[in-house]
Amino acid sequence: MGRALRRIGLALALAACSEPPPAPPSGAPPARPEPTAPERRARDAGNDAQVFAADGCAIEEAHRFRFAVGARPADGPPALIAGDDRFAVAWRDVRAGRPDLFVAGFRSSGAPVPEHPLVESPALESAPRLARWGGGLVAVWAEGADLWMRRQDPELRPIGAPAPLTATPGEVERTLDARVLDARLFVAWLARTPRGGRSHTQLGVFTEGGRAIGAPRTLALFDGRAPTGVALGALDGRPAAALVDPNDGRVWLRTMDADGAPRGEAIRLDADANADGSIDAAFAGDGGAVLFGARVGVRSQLRFVPLDANGAPLASERVIGEEASTASAVHAGLRDGGIAALDRGYAVAYRALDGSNGAELRFGLLTTAGARILELAVAPTTLGGGPVRVRVSDDGRVGIAWAEHAAGGTVVRGAMARCWGLR
């Protein structure tokens, strides 16, 4: 009898343990769910909380690279793309007395990747653009008023011969940007033939083999001067383009469908209509940021705009480097900025003007709100040379590429920053 009672008591105890915990009192607040990534981005963009920080960053002397002399500054900046553990830089070079395209790079270890010629042609119209495709790269450029492409393997060695991209009947003046999204190649270019006296920027979508998917789309029309920069990417899985109208100084963002057709109205990002034409963007699935140059009197500025997943501004534009909390020196101006997403914030690089005829290439980290939390010198540079490019490799290294004027033409340079203690 006693043994049976003990078995019953044990069964009751086990049942009690398996019952769910009692519900909280009716007056207790329910547990708050963790915020989603878009909610965190919106929250962080509205304040200057140090949600992104680093113990430090460094650019070692061995991680500074010189690629070429003789690339033409009018062709735009060198192209830069990041891979899993390496970076590739491409440029237009006239060292042999004719325009040629070259690609070289460096690994996250600091070891250089040898230079390879991409194409030799007297009909080259502009510097190339690079996009990451599979385990390798693809370069896109304008030649003879048409678009051309060539694939490279992970070691940057060209694969096959250059191939024309279709649906560009002698209309290409200059390539502006290229990105691979969902196994499709998106290319933005400046059209050669004005429409009613207006310059226009077009977007084409191509398959892996270079076949056009539909006809080219018009991204924007401009009265007067043509745009010098377009930044392509994806927001919430949709293609997006940020661009500047150099005639009225306004900055726009346009989202598109998978075939490149514009969706809805363009979104204006600037507040003062004083953009100088340079622009770069760091797009992600849940939002991103646009960095553009502006002119205020004789002073050059860089302005930062955080975006939500639909491309709408999360906050007003912010002037980089003018926070009261920064410990960095005050510069005569910042310009030619590049930006890339890094951990929970952004990596940026730009020319810092010294107020006379000099400049310094500088690297910095920004929070998602645009507050600069770190800045360090990369190298002395020149006032001219065009926009700086920044990309982040899969293993967290930051690559930088820029051009600068020199006695022998233009020097193309690169550098790699290593940051630790990201949080």
Side-chain angles (χ1 to χ4, degrees), residues 37-38 41-42 45 234-236 253 269 280-291 304-315 339-341 345-346 367-370:
R41 188 177 295 274
L235 285 169
D236 196 23
L253 183 107
L269 301 181
D280 199 11
F283 294 129
D286 59 346
V290 169
L291 186 70
F304 171 96
V305 181
L307 307 175
D308 67 14
N310 296 313
L314 286 168
I339 186 170
Y346 299 98
T367 67
T368 53

Side-chain angles (χ1 to χ4, degrees), residues 252-268:
W252 299 92
L253 183 107
R254 181 173 287 284
T255 58
M256 298 157 278
D257 65 19
D259 294 329
R263 300 175 67 256
E265 297 294 325
I267 302 172
R268 184 177 172 184

Side-chain angles (χ1 to χ4, degrees), residues 15-352:
C17 292
S18 63
E19 290 179 358
S26 58
R32 296 183 61 183
E34 285 294 318
T36 64
E39 289 171 342
R40 287 195 302 270
R41 188 177 295 274
R43 176 200 64 196
D44 298 339
N47 61 64
D48 289 334
Q50 298 284 325
V51 296
F52 170 56
D55 291 339
C57 296
I59 300 177
E60 301 174 16
E61 187 59 37
H63 295 166
R64 294 177 171 90
F65 309 93
R66 174 179 168 132
F67 294 108
V69 177
R72 296 181 179 178
D75 293 338
L80 174 68
I81 198 69
D84 50 1
D85 63 350
R86 68 199 64 195
F87 299 88
V89 181
W91 65 92
R92 185 188 188 203
D93 201 319
V94 292
R95 72 182 80 168
R98 64 176 184 275
D100 303 325
L101 299 185
F102 293 88
V103 61
F106 49 94
R107 293 179 172 83
S108 297
S109 63
V113 179
E115 176 187 286
H116 295 281
L118 278 175
V119 64
E120 301 175 1
S121 172
L124 288 172
E125 303 285 348
S126 66
R129 295 293 176 261
L130 292 176
R132 187 175 177 180
W133 206 333
L137 305 174
V138 60
V140 181
W141 65 91
E143 179 179 347
D146 288 312
L147 282 179
W148 289 73
M149 62 173 279
R150 194 173 193 183
R151 300 284 296 271
Q152 297 105 61
D153 67 16
E155 295 299 321
L156 309 186
R157 293 180 295 247
I159 301 173
L165 292 171
T166 57
T168 58
E171 286 288 322
V172 181
E173 177 77 22
R174 183 173 66 249
T175 50
L176 298 174
D177 201 8
R179 288 288 187 275
V180 173
L181 306 170
D182 292 331
R184 294 180 172 190
L185 175 62
F186 287 73
V187 183
W189 67 87
L190 176 66
R192 177 182 291 272
T193 305
R195 290 186 177 178
R198 308 176 77 190
S199 302
H200 62 293
T201 299
Q202 290 193 307
L203 179 81
V205 186
F206 305 91
T207 65
E208 183 175 353
R211 181 180 58 83
I213 301 174
R217 311 279 188 169
T218 296
L219 276 178
L221 294 170
F222 301 95
D223 294 313
R225 291 185 297 156
T228 56
V230 172
L232 297 177
L235 285 169
D236 196 23
R238 299 187 300 268
L243 62 162
V244 179
D245 187 332
N247 301 284
D248 63 14
R250 297 182 180 183
V251 181
W252 299 92
L253 183 107
R254 181 173 287 284
T255 58
M256 298 157 278
D257 65 19
D259 294 329
R263 300 175 67 256
E265 297 294 325
I267 302 172
R268 184 177 172 184
L269 301 181
D270 69 289
D272 300 323
N274 60 354
D276 65 8
S278 65
I279 191 168
D280 199 11
F283 294 129
D286 59 346
V290 169
L291 186 70
F292 65 92
R295 296 284 294 180
V296 180
V298 297
R299 184 175 175 82
S300 297
Q301 293 182 340
L302 288 177
R303 300 194 174 190
F304 171 96
V305 181
L307 307 175
D308 67 14
N310 296 313
L314 286 168
S316 300
E317 63 188 44
R318 180 171 192 157
V319 179
I320 298 301
E322 295 193 353
E323 307 90 344
S325 60
T326 182
S328 303
V330 176
H331 306 298
L334 305 178
R335 75 181 196 193
D336 299 336
I339 186 170
L342 175 64
D343 196 63
R344 289 176 288 174
Y346 299 98
V348 293
Y350 40 78
R351 299 178 200 271

